[in-house]
Each structure stands twice: as C-alpha cells, then as structure tokens.
Amino acid sequence: MKILPLVRSELARLTASRLGIASLIAIMIVPIVYGGLYLWGNKNPYANLKDVPAALVVADTGATVGGKHVNYGKDAATQLLTDNAFGWKEVSASTAAAGVAKGTYDFAVTFPADFSVDLASAAGSHPTRATIGLRTDDTNSYLSTTIAKQATEAVRVAVAQKVGKAGSRELLDAVASIRSGLSSANDGAAKLASGTASAASGAATVASGAAQVASGASTLAADAPAAATGSAQLNSGLGTLTSGMTAYRVALVQALAASALTPQQQAQMLANYDALAAGASQSKAGAASLASALAALPSKTSELSSGAAQVASGASTLSSGVSGLDTGAAKLSSSLASGVAKVPATTAAQRAAKAAQLADPAAVKQTAITTAQNYGAGLAPFFISLSAWIGLYALFLLVRPLSRRALTAVRRPIRTTLAGWLTPAVLGVVQMVVLFAVVTLALHLQVADGAGLLGFMALTAITFAAMILALNVLFGSVGQFLALILMIVQLVTAGGTFPWQTLPGPLAFIHQALPMAHAVDGIRTLMYGGSPATIWGPISFLLYWLVGSLVVALLGATRQGRFRTLVQLRPGAIGG
C-alpha cells in the first residue's frame, strides 16, 4: 500500500461518523482558539492601563522657595491626572488605604504633607530626602504592583528633574551674580592699583625730600655753634667800634674847629659822622640780637636735625609701605581679572538651557534593528510555536500514529511511518494556515515576511508532528503523556517571555537543545524583519529534529511490524 492511500484511509476513518467529524473539528480549532484568544487578549495591554483603577492622595502643603510658594506634590498629581496613564482617582488617605485593601484600587500613590518642604530643604543646611508613598497589595495583581513601581519611579524621576532644574537655575543665577560682583571688584581693584601707583611715586618723592631736609638739618646743626661764636665776636667788635666812634667824635669836633672849614662844612661832616655812628650803634644792637638768637641755635638745630631724621625715616617707611600696597593692589586686580575670565558670561536663556541639561543630562537614543508592533506581537512567536505543539498533541488524541493493519499486512515500515506522520503533518499545516490568517487578518499584527513566516510555521508543525509521532510509536500511550511533559518543558525553556539567559543553568542547556526555542527565534526573525541570514539556523535545527524523529519512528515501526498481537489489531473508537 502506498503512502497517499494510507493517508486517505486515515482521513476517511476520522470522518467516517458525525462523532469523528465533530472530534476532528474540535481538535483542529484547539491551537487557533488557544493562540488567537491569548494574542487577542494580550494584543496591547499597555494601551488599556488607563482602565486600571489607582488612588492618588495629595497631602502636600507646599513650601516657599526663593520667596515663591511651590507645591511639587500637587503639580505632579496634576500631571498624572492629565496624562491619564492609569485610572487615577484623587481621594483621601483613608479612602486610598481601604480601597487598596478591598481591591477597589490596584494601588495608591501618596504625596505626603512635607513632600515639597523636604524637596526644598536641599537648599538649606539640613537637607531631607522627600518620599513618595506607594501602597500595593499583590492579591489585587502582582503585575499591577510591578507596573505601579515603574509608574512611581517615573514620577520620582520627573519630580527630580523639575527640582534639579530649578536648583541648577538658582545656582547658575548665583554664579552669574558672583561674576558680576567680581567684575565690579576688578574695576575697583584696577582703580586702587592706579591710585596706589601714584601714591607710591609721591611717597618716594616725599621720602627723597625728607632725606634732603634731614641732611640739611644735620649740616645746620653742625655749623650752628660756629655761627653762634662768630655772632658773639661780631657783637663784641661792634661794641668796641661804637665806643671808639664816640671818643673819636670829640676829637673830630676839635679838629674841625681848628680847620679852615666853614661852619656849614663842619656841621655837614659831623652830621655824616653822626649818621655813621648811629648805623654802627644799630648794627651793634642787631648783632647783639643775632648773637642772643644764635646762642640758642645749636640746641634747636640739634632738635631739628633729630626731627628731620625721624621724618626721613618715616617717609622711607611710608614709601616702602605704599610700594608694597601698590604691588598688592596690582596682584589683586590681576587675580580678580583672572577670576572674572574663568566664570563664563551667560545670558538668562543660556542659564535656563544649562539648568535643563543638568537636571536631565542624558537621554536614550534607541536604534532599533527590528521592532515588534506591540505587546501582542512580542508574545506572538512564543504562542504560535506553543499553539503548533498543542495542536499536534491534540490531533494525536484522534490520529493513529501507525496503521496497525498496514504495518502487519504490508510490512513496509517506511511507507507506514511516513503515512502516519503525513496525516497529522497536513492537518497541522492547515492549523498553522488558519492561525496565520487569525494573526494577520483578525488581529492585524504586522508581519515583515508573510510567505516566509507561513512556510516556517508549516515546517514547525510538521517537525512537531514527527516528534510526537516518534514518542507515540516508541512508548504507545505513555508517549502521548511524554509529549505533554515535553510541551511543558519547552514552554518553560523556550524564552518566549523573558530572555532565556535568565534561566537556571540546566534549563538554559535544555533551551538550546529543544526545537521550540529555535522555532520562536525563527518566527521572530520573519515576523519582525530580522536579517535573512539568521533564519537558516532555526530552519536547520528544525530539520535535524524532523529527520531524527522520523528515523526514530521508523525504527519503532520496524520493531512493531515484527511483533503484533490481536489486541493491537482491534479497531479504535472512531473507526478501523
């Protein structure tokens, strides 16, 4: 008997009665219902998070920052309500607590009374970390708790960015004010340096003049005694002169009387002599005064010399001090100028941009080689592969692994084995075609390579058919149970949800060995549009399992063909 007649015979057996047809139809739709409903229910759950009930408690009383009243908690709550990412309801703290406990709300987020005060404390001497309250109950939903943590973290980051931006702006404004002050101080220091330079020059001149005065005073002090002695001698000589002139006048009068001069001439000469005598007398008086003054001159010139020396010393010290002040003022001006140059000059707009950058310094720029359309598309490769196995497993509840009569009568194990594989394989391919239509036409999930994906799904189905056939041929009804166990193992290790690298070591090894993981990889590549070269790895792996399973089934069929019993030849419930 050839292969196709055996296949037609098996299909005829399955459809020989209404019960058989109903059973076949029910089995055929199992993977479609499983995969279609699951992907439909999880097509895009993140788009419906707005329907998840969540409580929002705003107890924040606000704070004063820079003379301005702020309320970070209220602002954040307003943003949450505007975004409408969850089904937020603003309620009291007691209502939120009771609601989460009863399941009215999946979780509750609270901005406490001191939320803004704690955030504003960063600018003070006792900073306190602000806290956002999150109340959860895993009996409501473990995943909702996970999502709530992510949402609260997003709120925390947004608030941190806002506060950081405000703080950075305040700091940059302060730096700008410091720069302005340094610039003004630099101008003053420049003027001071200029003034002290002039003062240093004047002080040097004063010191030089004072030194000259001190030198002259010293010379005067040295010559003063001699001047005093000379003036005393001059006074004595003038005294002698006046006394002699008085005595000489008498002799003169007598001489004039005896002379031939006329009385007028004699009177004129005496008048001249008297004027000379008067001048000598006045000179004597002046010399006496000078001698008296010069007698005190030595002591006064000594004091003058000492004072002039002190003035000269002080002027020298002043000159040195002013010179040092000039040097310091010049250094101060230079340092302030350097400081001003190091503090960048910024505009208000530039400071605002820098504050924003400091508050949120890094952004993620994703470069996606391939992209899944949504959450449902992300799960589709896993559930398509799992549906293929479930569909084939269910088919083998009806389909006979091998035709017992053909195996016993014809004794051609190869044909019998291929026929036993081809019947469920064809039905499995039909299941995959229908599932492909559900995924693309009903659920509208995008597929990069439709023909390639459909062909790969067909390969997956016929490979799984060969594997389950081999288990049934080798172990009989126990093999069907082992197929269920193998499905569970592959469900865990396929890496359809979390990365397979997160699996424990033994399960990670199984992931590499079993075909469902490679089926998931292949569907991902064809569905999302990965590199065509990468699809050959999964195809090769499935072909290895396909050929190996058929060989194992053939060996089992060969063994069964040699040893048959009447019980094994008894017709099944659906037909012979």
Side-chain angles (χ1 to χ4, degrees):
M1 186 177 291
K2 296 182 179 180
I3 296 175
L4 289 181
L6 287 174
V7 173
R8 285 196 299 267
S9 174
E10 181 65 14
L11 291 176
R13 183 186 69 83
L14 293 173
T15 58
S17 64
R18 292 182 179 180
L19 177 61
I21 295 173
S23 300
L24 181 60
I25 293 174
I27 293 297
M28 288 290 290
I29 66 174
V30 167
I32 291 92
V33 172
Y34 173 79
L37 286 180
Y38 200 96
L39 292 176
W40 182 31
N42 293 275
K43 181 179 180 181
N44 194 7
Y46 292 106
N48 298 321
L49 289 178
K50 62 181 182 298
D51 296 325
V52 175
L56 187 60
V57 180
V58 185
D60 191 5
T61 58
T64 301
V65 178
K68 180 182 178 182
H69 183 76
V70 296
N71 192 315
Y72 294 117
K74 186 65 176 178
D75 293 343
T78 300
Q79 188 63 48
L80 290 176
L81 293 171
T82 302
D83 292 343
N84 196 31
F86 293 93
W88 295 108
K89 297 292 182 183
E90 189 171 348
V91 297
S92 64
S94 58
T95 301
V100 173
K102 294 178 181 178
T104 305
Y105 305 111
D106 280 11
F107 59 91
V109 172
T110 300
F111 296 100
D114 55 358
F115 185 68
S116 292
V117 172
D118 289 342
L119 288 175
S121 68
S125 56
H126 300 287
T128 303
R129 192 178 189 183
T131 301
I132 300 175
L134 174 63
R135 181 180 291 269
T136 62
D137 188 341
D138 283 357
T139 59
N140 296 330
S141 171
Y142 175 76
L143 286 179
S144 69
T145 297
T146 302
I147 294 172
K149 291 178 181 178
Q150 295 173 350
T152 308
E153 176 63 16
V155 173
R156 186 197 67 79
V157 171
V159 171
Q161 288 177 353
K162 183 175 182 179
V163 175
K165 182 177 180 181
S168 299
R169 178 62 184 273
E170 184 177 351
L171 174 63
L172 292 173
D173 287 343
V175 171
S177 298
I178 291 174
R179 188 184 193 282
S180 177
L182 285 174
S183 180
S184 299
N186 179 48
D187 293 341
K191 293 178 181 179
L192 175 63
S194 177
T196 52
S198 299
S201 176
T205 302
V206 169
S208 176
Q212 293 177 357
V213 169
S215 176
S218 178
T219 302
L220 179 61
D223 294 342
T229 301
S231 64
Q233 292 175 351
L234 175 62
N235 181 45
S236 176
L238 288 174
T240 303
L241 175 62
T242 55
S243 297
M245 289 185 72
T246 300
Y248 184 74
R249 187 179 189 284
V250 175
L252 179 57
V253 170
Q254 292 175 355
L256 289 173
S259 69
L261 296 173
T262 63
Q264 291 82 0
Q265 292 176 329
Q266 293 179 11
Q268 186 176 6
M269 289 185 66
L270 286 174
N272 291 333
Y273 187 83
D274 289 339
L276 180 61
S281 178
Q282 291 177 351
S283 297
K284 179 182 179 303
S289 299
L290 177 61
S292 176
L294 289 177
L297 182 61
S299 63
K300 298 299 181 181
T301 53
S302 177
E303 293 177 2
L304 175 62
S305 176
S306 176
Q310 292 177 356
V311 169
S313 176
S316 178
T317 302
L318 173 63
S319 176
S320 177
V322 173
S323 178
L325 178 62
D326 176 37
T327 302
K331 289 183 178 179
L332 174 62
S333 177
S334 176
S335 298
L336 288 174
S338 177
V340 171
K342 291 179 180 179
V343 179
T346 58
T347 64
Q350 289 173 330
R351 291 193 294 274
K354 286 187 177 181
Q357 193 273 339
L358 290 172
D360 188 14
V364 177
K365 183 180 179 181
Q366 180 183 2
T367 301
I369 298 175
T370 62
T371 304
Q373 178 184 354
N374 49 38
Y375 183 76
L379 292 179
F382 174 57
F383 283 100
I384 290 174
S385 301
L386 187 57
S387 297
W389 187 277
I390 291 174
L392 269 303
Y393 175 85
L395 280 173
F396 273 96
L397 296 175
L398 297 178
V399 176
R400 294 178 303 186
L402 297 174
S403 174
R404 298 170 183 174
R405 292 180 179 178
L407 190 62
T408 303
V410 180
R411 293 185 178 274
R412 290 184 177 177
I414 295 178
R415 291 183 182 181
T416 306
T417 301
L418 291 177
W421 162 72
L422 195 56
T423 301
V426 170
L427 294 175
V429 170
V430 172
Q431 289 177 329
M432 291 297 98
V433 171
V434 177
L435 183 57
F436 177 83
V438 170
V439 168
T440 57
L441 301 179
L443 300 180
H444 304 289
L445 297 183
Q446 296 175 357
V447 175
D449 185 351
L453 177 60
L454 185 57
F456 187 83
M457 289 171 63
L459 175 61
T460 301
I462 63 177
T463 300
F464 291 171
M467 293 176 64
I468 299 174
L469 171 68
L471 290 172
N472 277 273
V473 170
L474 286 181
F475 304 105
S477 59
V478 176
Q480 189 71 2
F481 172 74
L482 293 177
L484 176 62
I485 298 300
L486 189 58
M487 180 190 73
I488 294 173
V489 173
Q490 293 187 105
L491 186 151
V492 174
T493 61
T497 52
F498 286 91
W500 67 268
Q501 291 86 351
T502 61
L503 294 170
L507 294 182
F509 174 78
I510 295 174
H511 164 87
Q512 298 285 3
L514 295 180
M516 188 177 292
H518 300 273
V520 171
D521 290 341
I523 294 174
R524 282 175 177 161
T525 299
L526 295 166
M527 191 170 185
Y528 306 154
S531 173
T534 60
I535 191 60
W536 294 110
I539 289 176
S540 300
F541 202 87
L542 290 178
L543 289 175
Y544 293 151
W545 271 97
L546 172 61
V547 174
S549 298
L550 289 176
V551 170
V552 170
L554 174 61
L555 294 176
T558 301
R559 182 176 61 85
Q560 288 186 22
R562 294 174 182 173
F563 305 99
R564 303 297 294 170
T565 66
L566 292 176
V567 175
Q568 292 174 325
L569 297 175
R570 182 179 301 169
I574 296 178

